[in-house]
Amino acid sequence: MPETQQIRTGIIGLGAMGIGMAQSLAAKGFAVAAFDLSDAALTRAAEAGAAPMPSAADVFGAADIIVLSLPAAHHVKAVIADAVSAGHLAPDAAPRIVVDTSTSEAEISRNLAAALDAAGHGFVDAPVSGGPAGAAAGTLAMMLGGDDADVARAMPVLEALGQKIIHVGPSGAGNVAKLVNNMLVASHMVTTLEAVKLAEASGVSTEDALRVVNSATGRSAISEIHYPNWVLPRSFDSGFSTGLMRKDVRLARDMAAKAGCAMPLADLVADLWSQERSGLSDSDDFMLMGDPKADRFEGDKE
Ligand code: NAD
């Protein structure tokens, strides 16, 4: 296994998550080539110790292990197509591993992994959980899909980003696990909101209700981490957007439809997360869904 300093890393997508990952890699001694469409993000990456690049393809040219943190699967396909056009993923190019931390789609990951494998390169789907704070601290949970050999080669980089690293299975398995996880997150936001609203309406404060839930069987990461950090202080700045939450619910439902798996609750949750039902726009922080003071859904007593 090469020393940290000998592995050239790259990161494409320097948003809420990617900027923290760039910081974590640079802090742990990796050379980091970075690209984002936003100049402001590139400036922040330079301040974090990464080397800004003029294009995504240039990151592939400068790195052996390239981390992607992009909004959706079509962005992932586009940057890989650019790298292919530039010759960096040709069969005679130095072997590269793409570590895709975006919340993406299993079928697209499998296709990309097969295409890269045929040219002697690797692709690991490696979606993450833990938010911008976890990305900056290098303490993310990571769920991996890919070949053992590719995962082993990427491990020094994965270990710089994550604390709980679970190799779920072959290509696409990480994406499946992530969507299943986030379907629960979307549901827990709604069920926890309903629980604290019911408590308040019946004479028990949100704080007291959560003290009990978090010592009892109704708890989740939403009640244990998200409410205390972002709802109770009313900062609503977790760094995860409602638009990305909607994407995850949509992808989980698409996956269920393909698998022939009925999910009546997820269908209702998707409806409740829609702009029409929730009043939230895509750019709103997703924690606003949990605001017990918002009377977000119709039917509450005046
Ligand atoms: P974000 O919107 O904050 O950042 C995405 C970045 O990608 C932006 O800076 C954008 O300019 C850049 N970008 C878009 N297209 C690009 C391209 N073609 N080339 C280069 N850069 C491009 O999103 P985020 O919150 O950082 O999330 C990134 C991914 O991680 C998403 O797939 C999301 O679902 C997932 N995720 C987010 C969180 C979170 O808490 N924010 C947690 C886990 C997983």
Side-chain angles (χ1 to χ4, degrees):
M1 193 77 64
E3 293 297 315
T4 294
Q5 286 75 7
Q6 291 168 346
I7 300 175
R8 301 175 309 154
T9 70
I11 177 143
I12 301 172
L14 301 161
M17 298 299 285
I19 191 68
M21 295 185 203
Q23 272 165 19
S24 289
L25 290 172
K28 287 171 185 157
F30 290 98
V32 189
F35 178 69
D36 193 289
L37 297 174
S38 142
D39 288 338
L42 279 175
T43 304
R44 280 196 296 278
E47 286 163 5
M53 293 281 140
S55 72
D58 287 304
V59 172
F60 278 83
D64 308 303
I65 298 184
I66 298 99
V67 178
L68 307 183
S69 178
L70 293 164
H74 66 92
H75 302 98
V76 172
K77 275 173 38 175
V79 300
I80 290 182
D82 286 350
V84 169
S85 300
H88 299 308
L89 293 172
D92 58 352
R96 294 189 163 82
I97 307 261
V98 176
V99 173
D100 181 20
T101 69
S102 320
T103 302
S104 184
E105 299 169 43
E107 199 177 326
I108 291 177
S109 294
R110 288 184 200 118
N111 291 342
L112 290 171
L116 265 64
D117 182 60
H121 306 281
F123 181 100
V124 176
D125 48 293
V128 295
S129 179
T139 57
L140 291 166
M142 306 187 83
M143 40 222 101
L144 313 180
D147 286 352
D148 288 347
D150 292 338
V151 169
R153 228 186 113 206
M155 198 48 83
V157 170
L158 297 169
E159 284 176 341
L161 300 175
Q163 217 163 41
K164 293 180 199 154
I165 300 169
I166 301 170
H167 187 179
V168 187
S171 183
N175 297 135
V176 171
K178 172 66 181 173
L179 292 180
V180 165
N181 180 76
N182 277 26
M183 195 182 81
L184 285 173
V185 171
S187 306
H188 289 165
M189 281 295 300
V190 176
T191 54
T192 309
L193 169 66
E194 289 188 357
V196 297
K197 277 178 67 173
L198 178 58
E200 289 267 359
S202 310
V204 169
S205 71
T206 294
E207 287 80 355
D208 283 342
L210 287 175
R211 258 188 324 130
V212 172
V213 165
N214 288 336
S215 310
T217 43
R219 68 188 184 276
S220 67
I222 296 301
S223 65
E224 286 189 304
I225 299 169
H226 293 72
Y227 264 77
N229 280 313
W230 295 294
V231 176
L232 298 183
R234 303 194 61 72
S235 59
F236 303 110
D237 58 353
S238 75
F240 185 56
S241 70
T242 298
L244 289 176
M245 184 81 270
R246 286 181 180 136
K247 172 194 74 169
D248 297 350
V249 174
R250 178 174 52 76
L251 292 178
R253 291 175 76 215
D254 289 351
M255 200 164 78
K258 275 190 200 141
C261 189
M263 299 206 303
L265 185 59
D267 294 343
L268 177 57
V269 166
D271 183 41
L272 294 173
W273 273 98
S274 68
Q275 178 138 13
E276 301 73 49
R277 292 298 300 274
S278 69
L280 295 171
S281 66
D282 278 354
S283 58
D284 282 328
D285 195 281
F286 91 122
M287 288 314 303
L288 278 163
M289 179 61 123
D291 182 0
K293 296 194 200 310
D295 281 342
R296 202 156 291 297
F297 306 119
E298 290 159 22
D300 286 324
K301 273 194 211 149
E302 292 302 314

